[in-house]
């Protein structure tokens, strides 16, 4: 809806002309640009090239500053795109969360967007959270086919994990995971969109009925790994002990095995068959690849921080 008369796709080297809104100053593209520079800085650091690391870090900071100066509206606690005439497109969209996925927000921006908008049941924290457009926005549309103007997208659920982890909102991940598991249900309906008011899956796609959407399947796997399982990232291992569930989860990584066994009251973690720790529930425990404890995050208010034994 925000693009007005823009073409549905565009493959030419120059932007279209005579359109009402495009080309736009777009939060997504600017955030991706930030992320690319931040990633190059990290790669340079791994290579031991401090000059290149600092150069890309400065370039990333410059993009972040532009996002804040040009797209962030202080009085509204969110970013808004601008059209080709530099006019603000006053539509409250979930892409602020996607900017958090790209890590382009400052900590303050993320805190304000999450507390003011993301957790607002009148905007994004609906029965099934994360509609593409705030449900009280005039451009919110009740469209069941894939549109990004209304319903909760499986892609957004997948991106929300990294977005929330980047800014220490890990405790919200189980809340979203539980809702996604409920929407998919015992019959495992994997679609692009889910109704924000009922959680019902939208089976109708532009090409007919749909029930095999990859990002929905991947989202379930990722929420499972964060809540009850294991996630490996570079030299870190993330162990999940959420909820009063009984489960066993094993991740094979190269020649090594990482396994966590959850009961209703505690969890036991193993690397290559050797127990490295046991803990209470509702925690995200981060170790190195050898199982040395680095830090702990709460996944719920009743997290058991006192029942941890490291071997």
């Amino acid at each position: 809806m925000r693009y007005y008369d823009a073409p549905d796709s565009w493959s030419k080297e120059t932007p279209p002309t005579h359109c009402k809104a495009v080309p736009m100053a777009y939060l997504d593209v600017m955030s991706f640009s930030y992320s690319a520079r931040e990633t190059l800085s990290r790669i340079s650091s791994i290579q031991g090239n401090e000059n290149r690391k600092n150069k890309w870090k400065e370039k990333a900071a410059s993009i972040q500053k532009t996002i804040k100066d040009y797209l962030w509206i202080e009085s509204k606690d969110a970013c808004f795109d601008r059209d080709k005439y530099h006019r603000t497109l006053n539509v409250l969209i979930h892409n602020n969360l996607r900017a958090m996925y790209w890590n382009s927000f400052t900590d303050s921006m993320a805190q304000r967007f999450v507390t003011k908008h993301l957790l607002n049941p009148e905007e994004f924290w609906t029965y099934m959270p994360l509609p593409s457009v705030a449900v009280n926005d005039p451009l919110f549309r009740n469209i069941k086919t894939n549109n990004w103007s209304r319903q909760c997208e499986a892609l957004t659920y997948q991106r929300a994990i990294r977005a929330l982890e980047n800014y220490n909102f890990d405790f919200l991940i189980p809340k979203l995971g539980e809702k996604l598991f409920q929407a998919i249900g015992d019959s495992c309906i994997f679609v692009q969109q889910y109704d924000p008011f009922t959680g019902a899956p939208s089976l109708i796609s532009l090409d007919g009925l749909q029930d095999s959407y990859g990002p929905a399947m991947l989202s379930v796997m990722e929420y499972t790994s964060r809540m009850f399982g294991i996630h490996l990232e570079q030299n870190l291992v993330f162990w999940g002990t959420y909820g009063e569930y009984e489960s066993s989860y094993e991740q094979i990584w190269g020649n090594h095995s990482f396994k966590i066994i959850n009961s209703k009251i505690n969890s036991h973690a193993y690397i290559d068959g050797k127990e490295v720790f046991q803990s209470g529930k509702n925690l995200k425990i981060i170790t190195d690849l050898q199982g040395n404890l680095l830090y702990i995050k709460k996944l719920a208010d009743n997290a058991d921080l006192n029942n941890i034994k490291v071997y």
Side-chain angles (χ1 to χ4, degrees):
M1 296 296 295
R2 297 180 304 125
Y3 300 132
Y4 297 102
D5 58 348
D8 185 63
S9 62
W10 191 258
S11 59
K12 297 180 181 179
E13 292 295 324
T14 56
T17 58
H18 309 301
C19 291
K20 292 181 179 179
V22 298
M24 295 162 49
Y26 193 44
L27 177 61
D28 263 356
V29 175
M30 294 173 73
S31 295
F32 176 77
S33 180
Y34 169 88
S35 179
R37 287 157 173 77
E38 183 186 53
T39 301
L40 286 166
S41 177
R42 294 175 68 184
I43 291 172
S44 300
S45 178
I46 292 170
Q47 294 175 331
N49 191 325
E50 288 298 308
N51 288 335
R52 188 177 297 166
K53 167 193 168 183
N54 293 331
K55 181 189 77 170
W56 285 116
K57 191 173 182 178
E58 290 172 2
K59 288 180 178 291
S62 175
I63 298 293
Q64 186 180 63
K65 184 177 185 302
T66 300
I67 291 173
K68 185 175 182 181
D69 291 347
Y70 191 55
L71 300 183
W72 178 263
I73 297 181
E74 195 73 13
S75 62
K76 295 185 177 182
D77 300 296
C79 277
F80 296 82
D81 295 334
R82 291 176 180 259
D83 67 12
K84 67 178 184 179
Y85 299 110
H86 305 278
R87 296 175 300 196
T88 296
L89 296 170
N90 193 27
V91 186
L92 185 58
I93 53 178
H94 84 287
N95 299 52
N96 285 267
L97 183 67
R98 206 181 299 179
M100 292 169 56
Y101 166 80
W102 293 120
N103 205 32
S104 65
F105 273 8
T106 65
D107 288 341
S108 174
M109 291 165 68
Q111 290 283 335
R112 291 169 62 181
F113 174 74
V114 170
T115 54
K116 175 75 174 183
H117 299 295
L118 188 69
L119 296 179
N120 186 343
E122 301 298 321
E123 295 178 345
F124 294 106
W125 207 252
T126 43
Y127 173 82
M128 177 83 177
L130 309 188
S132 297
V133 178
V135 296
N136 61 356
D137 192 280
L139 284 192
F140 173 82
R141 293 292 184 272
N142 186 4
I143 299 173
K144 292 187 177 182
T145 53
N146 191 43
N147 181 269
W148 294 93
S149 286
R150 172 189 187 246
Q151 298 201 330
C152 309
E153 297 273 351
L155 268 172
T156 303
Y157 268 76
Q158 188 178 9
R159 292 167 177 146
I161 295 174
R162 180 69 55 92
L164 296 171
E165 287 177 338
N166 283 342
Y167 298 93
N168 293 313
F169 286 105
D170 304 68
F171 64 93
L172 293 177
I173 292 172
K175 298 180 186 295
L176 295 176
E178 293 274 18
K179 283 295 185 180
L180 183 64
F181 298 156
Q182 292 170 15
I184 287 171
D186 293 338
S187 55
C188 296
I189 301 177
F190 299 105
V191 297
Q192 286 180 284
Q193 297 190 152
Y194 297 86
D195 190 292
F197 304 117
T198 67
S202 294
L203 288 162
I204 302 173
S205 72
L206 296 175
D207 300 319
L209 293 180
Q210 173 206 76
D211 182 18
S212 58
Y213 188 53
M217 299 177 189
L218 291 171
S219 292
V220 169
M221 294 171 65
E222 291 195 43
Y223 279 97
T224 300
S225 74
R226 298 310 206 275
M227 294 164 66
F228 329 107
I230 297 157
H231 169 69
L232 288 97
E233 186 171 329
Q234 296 185 30
N235 296 320
L236 300 177
V237 188
F238 299 79
W239 311 78
T241 75
Y242 175 75
E244 296 181 357
Y245 302 102
E246 295 184 355
S247 64
S248 176
Y249 188 109
E250 184 175 15
Q251 176 73 54
I252 304 298
W253 190 262
N255 297 322
H256 299 284
S257 164
F258 301 84
K259 186 174 184 178
I260 187 165
I261 299 176
N262 287 305
S263 72
K264 292 184 177 181
I265 59 174
N266 57 30
S267 301
H268 297 263
Y270 303 84
I271 297 179
D272 296 333
K274 179 184 177 181
E275 188 168 11
V276 291
F277 71 80
Q278 72 176 37
S279 75
K281 305 300 296 181
N282 295 322
L283 300 172
K284 177 184 284 185
I285 298 173
I286 297 91
T287 71
D288 61 17
L289 295 174
Q290 289 72 45
N292 297 306
L293 182 65
L294 299 177
Y295 50 99
I296 302 169
K297 294 186 177 184
K298 296 171 64 174
L299 292 179
D301 291 337
N302 62 340
D304 186 358
L305 291 168
N306 299 316
N307 182 21
I308 299 176
K309 184 183 295 184
V310 179
Y311 298 105

